[in-house]
Amino acid sequence: MKKLFPLFLLSLLISCAPEKIPADLLVKNATIYTVNENFDTENAFVVKDGKILEIGVKPELELKYNIAETYDAKGKTIVPGLIDAHAHLYGLGLNLQDVDLTETTSYDEVLARVITFQKEKNKDYIIGRGWDQNDWEIKEFPTKKELDSLFPETPVALTRIDGHAMIVNSEALKRAGITAETKMDGGVIGVEDGKLTGILVDSPMSLVEESFPKQNRSYNKQALLDAERICLEMGLTTINDAGLDKEIIELIDNLQQQDSMALRVYAMVSNKPKNLDYYLDNGKVKTDRLNVRSVKVYADGALGSRGATLREPYTDMPGHFGAMITPADSLQMLADKIAAADFQMNTHAIGDSANISVLRAYETALKDKTDARWKIEHAQIVTEKDFDKFSKNIIPSVQPTHATSDMYWAEDRVGSERIKGAYAYKTLLENAGIVVLGTDFPVEKVNPMYTFYAAVARKDLEQYPEDGFQKKDALSREEAIKGMTIWAAYSNFEEDEKGSIEEGKFADFTVLDRDIMKIPEDSIPNTKVLATFINGKKEFSFEKED
């Protein structure tokens, strides 16, 4: 009997022990930057039904929960799922189907890539993107002469990297109905000695784009999924797509509903009558993966193509001010219409004249709204006295790698005084209390580690300049990661569901191979993504599966 008593006692203790709570995933042995209010770091957390159930330390969580699956981070760093607050997911996907002209160092190299592409693809219409004359020895726009010689019967349209200029051949101009006499507000049609040069800047580009071959649903689906794959490999879990038509938004929704697309998308509706008529009348669309409640508007063009609108003439082109794509009076009418529908307005503004025009339109439209969270996309060149107009109601949405890409020539465009108010991310943060970060890919690289590095170091990938470009406007590492997570979520009205690793929020997180909050600054760009989780499910893994 004495021998049986200990066994009886053990059985009694086991039967009295609390039953373990079922959970789907335990993440353990990690340096977890929660990016919560106190910026706490943790060791482990538990996921149930796609959401964070509890955060704590491994032994306690293992005792409390019946875990279906465990992810051992092996001491690596985990941050909230990274959000790109301004990008072009669909645009990236389309680019992957066309000629890649990025990092070309001359127009001859551009032509060589087009020739190679056409030999392989034999397209009826050749489309490409990515050239930048500022990277060439001869920093001038090309002409259509060579394209006409190479492709006399096949239309060719090659868009500049920023999407605000295009070189096209005669056949493309013919199909678009553009002649030397064609006039169009909000842009430039290149004409020399009464003849078309083939260069189009901003609004006239739409005439060419309207003549592009119509893509079918299968083509668009492949473009989206190709782009998603790259984003997941880079640790991104939410993309703010800056300008989509209704049919592409509906395709994204369909792919997500069928579990064919895991990526979350904050879709800005392109400012076109057919899109506005539908969404402003029918209201917002919100699912766990898709959020449609904003309109993307263009105030002006880009600085690199001299389409940005400046208060004073371009330093390197006297008498030229750029051109407003949406004039001030139209901006105001549009802002009032969007505000009345309770949608968010997100406006591309590069030049100081465009920025103040947008700020004024916003202030008038939002006079009775205190939580509109409207955004100025880029906020690239701002006059000193206008910075205090930014706030949590008018949020600056910026792209740090633009600063490190443009720094080689930006001062040539605007001069030594205006450049002081350019790419001023810290100044914007100090005035607005928030700044959200993106890439504008495919204008820049997709990699969010480059965004983080450019924000804190103000250097390019060659670690230039040694002391950082206008380092006074660098962000701290904590500010930068907030701009890529919780602040970006806030700007999307999604701070209660994502942007930090907290109980009740989506289990979206990114696993990194090094601690970006502590490693030497110049090591940041070499950081690799080991895994990307959305809803607690591993959507990408660099590691070999066990």
Side-chain angles (χ1 to χ4, degrees):
M1 192 71 174
K2 288 182 179 179
K3 291 181 180 180
L4 292 174
F5 182 73
L7 294 175
F8 170 75
L9 185 60
L10 179 61
S11 175
L12 185 64
L13 289 172
I14 291 172
S15 66
C16 293
E19 186 176 346
K20 285 189 175 183
I21 303 168
D24 299 324
L25 175 69
L26 169 66
V27 178
K28 66 179 184 178
N29 299 330
T31 299
I32 301 165
Y33 289 98
T34 64
V35 195
N36 63 8
E37 188 175 0
N38 297 321
F39 210 81
D40 293 324
T41 56
E42 299 288 355
N43 168 266
F45 60 86
V46 171
V47 176
K48 174 69 173 173
D49 296 330
K51 294 186 177 180
I52 307 291
L53 187 59
E54 185 174 345
I55 302 168
V57 293
K58 179 191 69 165
E60 295 176 2
L61 295 176
E62 286 177 324
L63 288 170
K64 184 175 180 180
Y65 292 96
N66 182 20
I67 307 294
E69 184 181 353
T70 297
Y71 180 81
D72 187 348
K74 300 176 182 177
K76 300 304 184 183
T77 296
I78 291 179
V79 296
L82 297 172
I83 301 170
D84 192 317
H86 181 112
H88 301 274
L89 181 73
Y90 178 58
L92 172 65
L94 291 180
N95 280 12
L96 294 171
Q97 320 303 315
D98 297 328
V99 195
D100 179 10
L101 303 175
T102 57
E103 299 180 353
T104 45
T105 57
S106 68
Y107 188 47
D108 285 341
E109 187 178 352
V110 168
L111 295 172
R113 288 200 195 179
V114 174
I115 292 168
T116 300
F117 175 86
Q118 186 62 357
K119 283 180 179 178
E120 294 174 356
K121 305 291 186 180
N122 193 28
K123 295 273 191 175
D124 294 331
Y125 200 127
I126 303 170
I127 299 170
R129 178 168 173 164
W131 60 270
D132 184 352
Q133 84 284 1
N134 293 307
D135 293 337
W136 305 343
E137 184 176 349
I138 300 173
K139 303 182 187 300
E140 297 176 358
F141 281 149
T143 70
K144 63 184 177 65
K145 177 182 176 182
E146 290 84 355
L147 289 178
D148 283 347
S149 176
L150 290 166
F151 306 102
E153 298 178 356
T154 304
V156 183
L158 309 177
T159 303
R160 191 178 182 276
I161 191 166
D162 58 10
H164 290 272
M166 183 185 281
I167 176 68
V168 300
N169 67 352
S170 293
E171 182 63 22
L173 290 166
K174 177 183 175 183
R175 295 194 185 195
I178 297 173
T179 69
E181 286 71 43
T182 302
K183 304 296 180 185
M184 197 166 182
D185 292 336
V188 175
I189 297 173
V191 177
E192 288 183 6
D193 300 324
K195 296 181 179 180
L196 292 166
T197 66
I199 282 290
L200 306 173
V201 178
D202 289 319
S203 56
M205 294 167 55
S206 64
L207 300 176
V208 173
E209 290 165 352
E210 287 167 5
S211 71
F212 283 174
K214 302 304 179 188
Q215 310 300 353
N216 61 30
R217 185 179 178 86
S218 176
Y219 185 96
N220 289 331
K221 174 181 175 180
Q222 191 60 52
L224 287 167
L225 295 180
D226 285 350
E228 181 200 30
R229 174 181 50 79
I230 292 173
C231 291
L232 293 174
E233 290 172 357
M234 294 295 167
L236 293 163
T237 58
T238 296
I239 302 297
N240 289 17
D241 196 306
L244 289 171
D245 288 332
K246 175 176 175 286
E247 58 268 23
I248 301 302
I249 293 173
E250 290 177 343
L251 177 56
I252 290 170
D253 187 29
N254 181 258
L255 290 170
Q256 291 171 333
Q257 298 293 348
Q258 293 179 349
D259 288 330
S260 298
M261 175 180 277
L263 197 65
R264 302 190 200 277
V265 175
Y266 187 85
M268 305 181 204
V269 177
S270 289
N271 175 30
K272 298 177 183 177
K274 65 174 184 176
N275 295 327
L276 298 192
D277 288 346
Y278 179 81
Y279 285 105
L280 298 189
D281 288 346
N282 289 282
K284 303 163 189 169
V285 177
K286 181 70 172 74
T287 72
D288 282 351
R289 295 184 190 267
L290 178 66
N291 196 348
V292 187
R293 59 174 301 149
S294 63
V295 178
K296 169 67 183 301
V297 178
Y298 284 92
D300 64 345
L303 193 65
S305 50
R306 298 185 183 85
T309 311
L310 303 178
R311 283 173 151 170
E312 299 296 331
Y314 277 77
T315 302
D316 60 356
M317 187 178 283
H320 180 69
F321 293 81
M324 290 289 283
I325 293 175
T326 309
D329 55 347
S330 298
L331 268 176
Q332 190 62 67
M333 288 189 291
L334 187 57
D336 292 342
K337 182 178 182 179
I338 293 170
D342 197 28
F343 266 60
Q344 181 190 57
M345 185 169 174
N346 299 332
T347 307
H348 164 118
I350 301 289
D352 50 8
S353 181
N355 271 283
I356 188 57
S357 294
V358 176
L359 285 164
R360 287 169 177 162
Y362 279 17
E363 285 183 333
T364 299
L366 301 178
K367 60 182 182 298
D368 298 321
K369 296 179 181 288
T370 58
D371 191 33
R373 308 185 198 186
W374 285 19
K375 301 182 213 179
I376 295 189
E377 306 291 338
H378 311 306
Q380 203 159 290
I381 302 166
V382 180
T383 304
E384 184 177 358
K385 63 184 178 61
D386 296 333
F387 278 109
D388 64 3
K389 292 179 172 60
F390 288 90
S391 66
K392 285 190 174 181
N393 210 35
I394 301 178
I395 298 171
S397 172
V398 302
Q399 301 73 44
T401 50
H402 280 346
T404 53
S405 293
D406 298 358
M407 63 184 175
Y408 293 95
W409 48 263
E411 189 170 339
D412 294 340
R413 296 284 192 274
V414 299
S416 58
E417 282 304 310
R418 282 183 294 189
I419 197 68
K420 295 175 183 177
Y423 315 93
Y425 309 142
K426 188 74 166 187
T427 306
L428 287 164
L429 172 60
E430 289 171 347
N431 283 273
I434 186 173
V435 62
V436 301
L437 309 184
T439 60
D440 203 10
F441 73 68
V443 176
E444 302 283 355
K445 300 290 187 183
V446 179
N447 195 332
M449 292 301 102
Y450 297 168
T451 299
F452 188 82
Y453 178 62
V456 302
R458 304 279 288 195
K459 299 178 185 179
D460 66 12
L461 297 180
E462 304 301 319
Q463 299 179 11
Y464 177 85
E466 184 177 352
D467 297 326
F469 169 64
Q470 298 189 168
K471 193 65 183 284
K472 68 179 178 63
D473 273 306
L475 301 177
S476 70
R477 297 192 197 203
E478 185 173 317
E479 291 163 349
I481 200 65
K482 285 181 177 179
M484 299 164 70
T485 56
I486 191 62
W487 288 345
Y490 176 88
S491 77
N492 294 350
F493 299 86
E494 295 177 336
E495 73 276 16
D496 291 335
E497 62 186 47
K498 65 173 74 164
S500 59
I501 297 174
E502 297 186 81
E503 293 176 8
K505 290 193 175 184
F506 291 134
D508 295 358
F509 55 96
T510 305
V511 186
L512 305 173
D513 72 343
R514 61 197 74 188
D515 189 341
I516 59 172
M517 305 305 291
K518 294 180 179 177
I519 59 175
E521 196 173 71
D522 290 339
S523 296
I524 292 169
N526 299 321
T527 302
K528 304 297 182 188
V529 173
L530 298 180
T532 306
F533 286 76
I534 298 177
N535 268 354
K537 181 181 177 183
K538 190 189 297 181
E539 298 293 348
F540 165 76
S541 177
F542 180 76
E543 306 159 308
K544 291 181 179 179
E545 299 293 338
D546 296 333

